């Protein structure tokens, strides 16, 4: 990873990690990655000073970079059943969640429907020298069947229910973490693929932008 890209003090980052621990994040690998990654590279320069606050920030096109707790919680939930070899991410967005995953698994495949966001995420991946990420401009609701099956799938926008097309792209026993529901009531869900379909558990209430089809 390149040197000289740390903008905020180590104290600021340590405060963030302390807040994550107090909020219930216990996976030490996840906490180490959250401490190390320069989140300010994934937001507009005007918002960089707020990059380590516990808040979601706008990244344009009606999208946001999720608050650090949400990123850490979803990552921890995804890794809990066992560390997957490959992860499919639906909704690259700023690329921060992508970078977190890429720091923890062998390979990440990420699909983004908004071309401008994808281009910015590509720039961030190059700057961080993350070479185990493959990005695609496309309809994330369709997944990425050419590289399926995946050990795990993370969805960073909310469909109304659990998408069977994505479940079918999991390995048997594979895990998917995603928000489901409508804007007024959403929950974070962990799905495990089984021989007969899937089982799921509700983790906690969340708020995400809706999962949209098509490309922009």
């Amino acid at each position: 990873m390149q040197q000289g890209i740390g903008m905020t003090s180590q104290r600021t980052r340590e405060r963030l990690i302390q807040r994550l621990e107090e909020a219930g994040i216990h996976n030490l690998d996840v906490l180490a990655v959250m401490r190390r990654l320069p989140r300010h590279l994934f937001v507009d320069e005007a918002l960089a000073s707020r990059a380590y606050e516990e808040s979601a920030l706008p990244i344009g096109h009606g999208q946001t970079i999720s608050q650090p707790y949400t990123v850490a919680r979803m990552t921890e939930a995804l890794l809990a059943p066992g560390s997957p070899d490959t992860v499919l991410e639906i909704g690259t967005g700023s690329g921060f969640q992508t970078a977190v995953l890429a720091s923890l698994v062998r390979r990440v495949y990420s699909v983004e429907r908004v071309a401008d966001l994808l281009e910015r995420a590509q720039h961030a991946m190059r700057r961080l020298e993350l070479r185990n990420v493959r990005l695609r401009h496309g309809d994330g609701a369709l997944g990425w069947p050419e590289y399926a099956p995946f050990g795990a799938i993370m969805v960073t926008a909310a469909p109304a229910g659990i998408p069977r097309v994505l479940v079918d792209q999991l390995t048997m026993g594979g895990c998917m973490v995603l928000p489901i529901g409508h804007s007024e009531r959403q929950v974070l869900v962990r799905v495990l693929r089984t021989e007969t379909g899937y089982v799921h558990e509700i983790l906690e209430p969340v708020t995400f932008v809706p999962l949209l089809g098509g490309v922009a």
Side-chain angles (χ1 to χ4, degrees), residues 84 86-88 109 143-153 169-171 174-175:
T86 58
V87 175
L88 171 65
Y109 299 86
W144 202 337
E146 294 91 336
Y147 289 101
F150 302 96
I153 298 175
Q169 293 180 36
L170 282 169
T171 57
C175 167

Side-chain angles (χ1 to χ4, degrees), residues 34 39 53-57 64-72:
M34 295 291 290
R39 190 170 183 256
E53 295 177 5
E54 185 47 52
S55 60
L57 296 171
T64 60
I65 180 173
S66 293
Q67 64 190 88
Y69 169 79
T70 302
V71 172

Side-chain angles (χ1 to χ4, degrees), residues 56 59 62-67 70-75 78 87-101 108-113 117 140-141 153-159 163 166 176-180 186-189 206-212:
I59 57 173
Q63 307 295 307
T64 60
I65 180 173
S66 293
Q67 64 190 88
T70 302
V71 172
R73 179 71 174 102
M74 292 181 71
T75 306
L78 195 77
V87 175
L88 171 65
E89 180 190 33
I90 305 302
T92 314
S94 70
F96 181 69
Q97 175 72 81
T98 320
V100 170
L101 292 169
V108 177
Y109 299 86
S110 188
V111 184
E112 172 56 53
R113 64 182 296 272
L117 293 180
I153 298 175
M154 180 178 289
V155 186
T156 61
L166 296 181
M176 176 164 62
V177 172
L178 74 163
I180 61 171
Q186 294 177 359
V187 290
L188 189 64
V189 173
V206 289
T207 302
F208 277 81
V209 297
L211 180 66
L212 301 176

Side-chain angles (χ1 to χ4, degrees), residues 4-167:
I5 54 178
M7 172 189 159
T8 58
S9 70
Q10 194 59 38
R11 186 184 310 168
T12 303
R13 299 193 193 195
E14 290 300 333
R15 279 201 299 267
L16 172 60
I17 299 307
Q18 183 179 346
R19 288 196 297 270
L20 293 177
E21 290 177 318
E22 291 170 352
I25 304 300
H26 302 301
N27 185 304
L28 296 180
D29 292 331
V30 173
L31 290 169
V33 170
M34 295 291 290
R35 177 184 286 112
R36 187 175 73 248
L37 278 179
R39 190 170 183 256
H40 61 273
L41 293 185
F42 296 87
V43 300
D44 290 338
E45 195 171 333
L47 296 172
S49 63
R50 299 182 56 197
Y52 301 92
E53 295 177 5
E54 185 47 52
S55 60
L57 296 171
I59 57 173
H61 302 277
Q63 307 295 307
T64 60
I65 180 173
S66 293
Q67 64 190 88
Y69 169 79
T70 302
V71 172
R73 179 71 174 102
M74 292 181 71
T75 306
E76 186 174 68
L78 195 77
L79 299 178
S83 185
D85 194 45
T86 58
V87 175
L88 171 65
E89 180 190 33
I90 305 302
T92 314
S94 70
F96 181 69
Q97 175 72 81
T98 320
V100 170
L101 292 169
S103 302
L104 293 163
V105 305
R106 185 180 67 84
R107 183 165 289 277
V108 177
Y109 299 86
S110 188
V111 184
E112 172 56 53
R113 64 182 296 272
V114 180
D116 179 55
L117 293 180
L118 188 74
E119 186 176 330
R120 287 161 57 185
Q122 287 172 326
H123 176 72
M125 298 303 141
R126 286 193 297 269
R127 193 167 177 189
L128 292 174
E129 299 178 1
L130 289 170
R131 298 187 176 92
N132 60 333
V133 177
R134 184 172 291 233
L135 302 177
R136 177 186 187 184
H137 180 224
D139 185 346
L142 303 177
W144 202 337
E146 294 91 336
Y147 289 101
F150 302 96
I153 298 175
M154 180 178 289
V155 186
T156 61
I162 296 170
R164 187 58 198 244
V165 67
L166 296 181
V167 173

